[in-house]
């Protein structure tokens, strides 16, 4: 029985398309199988009086996308990352984005500032760098899992889950340790600021902070420290963070960090004669100090705010 | 309530029984399209793009043997249930019977 050749030739084209999508070792057999499959289904349609092209078209339409059909024939996954690796992929991607992106940002910002760039330039450099690092991290992580998915590795993944990974609920014990840490840090910081103003460091009584900060900024800082301790004490008293407390904590941190950073860049935070200690390198050291201080203030602010809100989210609803 | 809503679940439930029915029917050698019609008349309706990949998979796993028959006008790949396939079929049949009994017991205990 010979099949009339037509311009359309859906059956042959379909069989060839499926065969192209399978490994070459199985290609010829798959092509023959698919051709036989289609021919079997076309035959009764022809017997019912349908035209060859119409019959072949209907049959291959029923078989669906040749690539999907080929994938089902050779058991190849039809997804980028399947259920076996999805959780590991999400966890690793999130971790890398959270850790690597901020490191890149701080590094690039410091490098730009050290080369004499202004704030505007830093922002201009940061935006493409952040976009690039996010895209790169996402791409390479996904590529690794894409390959794992297809090489059929059943080995343990580095991020295999165990019950030990379950996030802990905020307990009173942890809140107590946070409170203690806040009190100790506040006492040390406040004491250091006062000591710096009235006594100075070392035998020569070196002052790190500018004397002009007294009284407004120094007292303001002490008040903020006291308020931070108060917030921490309220958290301890109610056994966990609440939204108002987290917002108050964020506000206190923001005010401190913004004021401190502005003072740094107006050269009003550090004592003017501090730079003189470093002799000829004073200007460079001053710039480096400015950059480091800015990074530290912003880092502490972001860290503390994120910590508060993260604990708020984990805390059992009050 | 439309039938479409149940389609996914029904398909899922039937999928395993297609394997069972194919293994049983292919005790006598058969080819894809012929099997498709046999399955339909035996009460296991399925479509070509489910059946062909399934036959291929069963063959790869050693539950079916295959052979190209070139004697007829058009070459066809004939499948036949292997010894391992027969054992699989027996196991599946026992399992389906157990599930049917368990399902019946479920609905009885409800009333």
């Amino acid at each position: 029985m010979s099949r009339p050749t037509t311009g359309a030739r859906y059956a042959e084209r379909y069989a060839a398309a499926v065969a192209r999508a399978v490994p070459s070792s199985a290609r010829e057999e798959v092509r023959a199988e698919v051709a036989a499959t289609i021919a079997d289904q076309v035959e009764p349609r022809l017997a019912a009086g349908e035209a060859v092209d119409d019959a072949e078209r209907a049959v291959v339409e029923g078989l669906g996308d040749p690539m999907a059909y080929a994938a089902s024939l050779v058991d190849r996954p039809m997804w980028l990352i399947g259920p076996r690796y999805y959780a590991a992929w999400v966890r690793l991607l999130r971790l890398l984005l959270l850790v690597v992106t901020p490191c890149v940002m701080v590094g690039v910002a410091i490098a730009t500032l050290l080369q004499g760039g202004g704030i505007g330039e830093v922002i201009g450099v940061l935006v493409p760098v952040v976009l690039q690092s996010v895209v790169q991290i996402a791409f390479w992580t996904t590529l690794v899992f894409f390959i794992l998915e297809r090489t059929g590795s059943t080995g343990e993944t580095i991020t295999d889950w165990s019950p030990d990974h379950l996030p802990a609920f905020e307990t009173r014990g942890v809140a107590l340790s946070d409170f203690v840490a806040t009190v100790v840090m506040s006492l040390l910081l406040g004491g250091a600021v006062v000591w710096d103003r009235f006594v100075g460091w070392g035998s020569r009584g070196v002052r790190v902070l500018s004397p002009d900060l007294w009284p407004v900024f120094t007292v303001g800082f002490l008040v903020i420290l006291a308020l931070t301790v108060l917030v921490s004490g309220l958290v301890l008293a109610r056994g966990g963070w609440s939204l108002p407390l987290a917002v108050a904590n964020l506000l206190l941190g923001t005010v401190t960090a913004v004021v401190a950073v502005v003072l740094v860049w107006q050269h009003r935070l550090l004592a003017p004669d501090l730079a003189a200690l470093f002799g000829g390198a004073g200007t460079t050291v001053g710039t480096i100090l400015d950059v480091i201080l800015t990074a530290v203030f912003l880092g502490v602010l972001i860290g503390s705010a994120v910590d508060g809100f993260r604990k708020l989210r984990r805390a059992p609803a009050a | 309530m439309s039938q479409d809503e149940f389609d996914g679940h029904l398909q899922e439930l039937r999928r395993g029984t297609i394997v069972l029915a194919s293994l049983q029917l292919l005790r006598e050698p058969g080819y894809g399209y012929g099997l498709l019609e046999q399955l339909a008349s035996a009460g296991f309706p399925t479509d070509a793009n489910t059946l062909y990949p399934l036959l291929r998979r069963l063959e790869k796993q050693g539950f079916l043997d295959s052979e190209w028959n070139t004697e007829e006008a058009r070459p066809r790949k004939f499948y036949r249930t292997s010894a391992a396939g027969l054992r699989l079929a027996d196991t599946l049949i026992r399992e389906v019977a157990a599930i049917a009994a368990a399902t019946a017991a479920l609905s009885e205990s409800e009333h």
Side-chain angles (χ1 to χ4, degrees), chain B:
Chain B
M1 187 132 305
S2 83
Q3 191 65 27
D4 298 354
E5 218 173 321
F6 302 150
D7 277 357
H9 292 288
L10 287 174
Q11 253 174 29
E12 217 166 297
L13 189 60
R14 283 191 191 130
R15 193 168 298 145
T17 64
I18 303 293
V19 174
L20 185 162
S22 300
L23 290 171
Q24 281 295 79
L25 289 170
L26 289 173
R27 286 165 182 259
E28 297 295 320
Y31 64 98
Y33 189 70
L35 181 63
L36 205 59
E37 299 199 311
Q38 278 180 289
L39 282 170
S41 56
F44 296 88
T46 183
D47 50 15
N49 41 3
T50 307
L51 185 64
Y52 287 96
L54 185 141
L55 291 176
R56 231 190 125 73
R57 194 152 46 238
L58 288 175
E59 184 196 358
K60 220 178 187 176
Q61 294 166 342
F63 298 121
L64 291 177
D65 296 326
S66 77
E67 194 179 12
W68 280 91
N69 182 335
T70 50
E71 284 162 23
E72 291 177 43
R74 211 173 37 229
R76 275 171 175 156
K77 195 177 187 181
F78 274 73
Y79 290 96
R80 177 188 208 132
T81 309
S82 68
L86 292 175
R87 286 198 299 277
L88 175 62
D90 289 342
T91 311
L92 290 176
I93 288 171
R94 276 201 303 276
E95 193 61 30
V96 170
I99 291 170
T103 311
L106 268 186
S107 31
E108 269 168 31
S109 64
E110 228 172 65
H111 298 303

Side-chain angles (χ1 to χ4, degrees), chain A residues 3-4 6 23 35 61 71 81 102 105 118 132 171 182 196 206 209 226 242 245 262 269 282 316:
Chain A
R3 204 151 13 104
T6 71
E61 194 168 28
I81 291 163
M105 285 172 73
Q132 278 221 17
T171 62
T182 307
D196 185 90
V206 175
L209 298 175
S242 70
L245 287 177
V262 168
L269 184 73

Side-chain angles (χ1 to χ4, degrees), chain A residues 20-33:
Chain A
R20 264 199 303 276
V22 303
S24 55
S25 56
R27 193 159 295 160
E28 210 23 65
E29 204 201 350
V30 165
R31 204 198 54 73
E33 266 185 58

Side-chain angles (χ1 to χ4, degrees), chain A residues 291-307:
Chain A
V291 173
I292 292 176
L293 284 173
T294 308
V296 168
F297 286 135
L298 292 182
V300 169
L301 163 66
I302 294 169
S304 144
V306 167
D307 188 52

